Amino acid sequence: MGEAQPVNESWVTVVGNAATRPDFWETAAGVAVARFRLAATVRRWDRGRDAWADAYTSFYTVWAWRSLAANVAGSVSLGEPLVVHGTLRVRERAWDREGERPLRGDRGDRGEAALRGAAGFPGAGGSPGPAAGAAPDEPGAPGEGSGGGAQQPRRWVTAEIDAVAVGHDLTRGTSAFRRVSQAKPLLNAPTGATSP
């Protein structure tokens, strides 16, 4: 039997390019960890130009662990086309404006609370959250000078992938399998001997 997989996880496969070089380190327990950013640009068919055109770009933080981390650190370079498969985790983050430090309770557990109905929903006694469509620079957006009073914490959402597989997208080309030395065709010349 295989390893038990969690049932309520969102599994994703994302095709994109490495937006940063992988960071690699080992935890205090000796577990290898690698982290890098992945940029995935959506392409749409433009009928006016009769050609494909880039739409928006989404960025993901990709986490790799143990032997996958070591392989990622050794083989992924900035800008390389990749295919990443793993579980998606979306988290809301908040930072204190004065000291630029994480606020207490910022553990990414808000989505879990929302599943149980314990998060702050408008009309349910919770905070209403940002105004629909309000950009961070606009008045009324939380944390960005929305009138008198103390500054609100800066908030944003991150999308992370706990990778179980990271591969080079060979259909779009890659430098992962580049030759270290030039090929020497004379070494591969036929000798007339047959293989057993």
Side-chain angles (χ1 to χ4, degrees), residues 9-14 84-88 160-165:
E9 296 285 343
S10 296
W11 288 88
V12 295
T13 301
V14 181
V84 175
H85 180 71
T87 57
L88 179 66
E160 300 177 350
I161 300 173
D162 278 329
V164 295

Side-chain angles (χ1 to χ4, degrees), residues 25-160:
W25 68 92
E26 288 187 1
T27 65
V31 177
V33 181
R35 174 188 66 199
F36 67 95
R37 299 279 290 163
L38 182 75
T41 302
V42 174
R43 295 185 50 84
R44 303 264 192 238
W45 182 255
D46 185 349
R47 290 183 186 174
R49 293 186 344 202
D50 201 30
W52 288 97
D54 288 345
Y56 58 90
T57 301
S58 298
F59 289 89
Y60 302 89
T61 301
V62 178
W63 293 88
W65 301 86
R66 296 176 182 78
S67 62
L68 180 59
N71 289 334
V72 163
S75 65
V76 172
S77 298
L78 181 66
E80 286 195 313
L82 301 172
V83 179
V84 175
H85 180 71
T87 57
L88 179 66
R89 197 173 51 225
V90 178
R91 297 180 177 203
E92 182 180 49
R93 304 283 189 183
W95 286 78
D96 182 2
R97 295 299 258 173
E98 293 174 17
E100 288 296 317
R101 63 185 191 279
L103 293 175
R104 286 181 166 244
D106 180 28
R107 296 184 306 267
D109 53 359
R110 184 168 210 169
E112 202 169 295
L115 285 173
R116 294 183 173 78
F121 295 103
S127 63
D137 299 316
E138 295 177 9
E144 297 297 330
S146 54
Q151 284 279 329
Q152 297 275 338
R154 184 172 55 123
R155 297 184 180 277
W156 69 96
V157 176
T158 64
E160 300 177 350

